[in-house]
Amino acid sequence: HVPEAVSTGLAPLVGHLPSTQRLSLAISLPLRNESELDVLLQQLYDPQSPSYHQYLSIQEFAARFGPVESDYVAVLNFAEANGLAVIDTFGNRMVVDVEGPAANIESAFHISLSIYQHPTENRTFYAPDREPTPDLDVPLLHISGLDNFTLPHAKNVRSSLADATPKTTGSGP
């Protein structure tokens, strides 16, 4: 959860993230019975298996491999008790989307969200100063949204530079 540039001190501290800034997080819970899931996946794609192409519904998947409902409810209650709005839930019980002010997120996860100068790009980013440690008796897989060190970008968009370069090799135009 802490970018390497922050943990190594490569990214200089600029300031503290404003406490009122709203962030969106995706709280992910781990799967259960992963070895059984591995076996099922092999069977689903083995033409010799009676389970070949016998895919599970979301409900069947959640019952066998998703987090138990009580863990999911505990995460929902945790979020609401810490002033985070639950934005979306999912039938497989693997993710809870929440949103709230930075101050509530810092309190809920026992972190400090600061602003740093990006070491290779001309911009700042926010990130936690340490790993989150929520007061929760449920294991969490990951909390997405605690930093914006790496910005998303479309993989299928070609740069204008690539389009401007004439192609001079090959047999086609």
Side-chain angles (χ1 to χ4, degrees):
H1 293 96
V2 180
E4 186 177 347
V6 171
S7 64
T8 62
L10 187 61
L13 177 66
V14 173
H16 190 266
L17 193 67
S19 61
T20 57
Q21 182 166 334
R22 295 189 68 79
L23 300 177
S24 297
L25 306 178
I27 303 172
S28 302
L29 289 84
L31 291 170
R32 292 181 299 125
N33 306 323
E34 286 190 65
S35 59
E36 183 184 332
L37 178 57
D38 290 341
V39 170
L40 175 64
L41 288 171
Q42 289 177 349
Q43 292 172 349
L44 286 174
Y45 297 101
D46 177 2
Q48 306 305 315
S49 169
S51 297
Y52 181 63
H53 284 183
Q54 301 298 310
Y55 302 107
L56 302 178
S57 69
I58 293 171
Q59 295 78 15
E60 292 169 327
F61 180 88
R64 289 177 66 181
F65 307 111
V68 294
E69 191 165 351
S70 60
D71 286 355
Y72 201 66
V73 169
V75 172
L76 295 171
N77 292 338
F78 166 81
E80 291 173 350
N82 283 280
L84 304 176
V86 174
I87 302 302
D88 207 356
T89 59
F90 300 90
N92 63 12
R93 299 189 298 265
M94 293 180 61
V95 178
V96 177
D97 286 341
V98 300
E99 163 180 298
N104 295 23
I105 291 168
E106 289 176 321
S107 176
F109 295 104
H110 305 285
I111 58 174
S112 180
L113 293 167
S114 295
I115 300 172
Y116 301 88
Q117 177 60 49
H118 198 286
T120 60
E121 299 174 17
N122 187 22
R123 67 177 180 88
T124 59
F125 66 96
Y126 64 85
D129 62 335
R130 61 185 155 277
E131 289 298 316
T133 54
D135 296 324
L136 190 59
D137 291 332
V138 173
L140 298 180
L141 179 65
H142 190 74
I143 306 162
S144 300
L146 289 176
D147 74 87
N148 67 344
F149 179 77
T150 303
L151 295 176
H153 63 280
K155 293 185 88 167
N156 61 348
V157 176
R158 293 171 47 170
S159 74
S160 58
L161 239 185
D163 293 338
T165 307
K167 308 294 187 257
T168 58
T169 62
S171 61

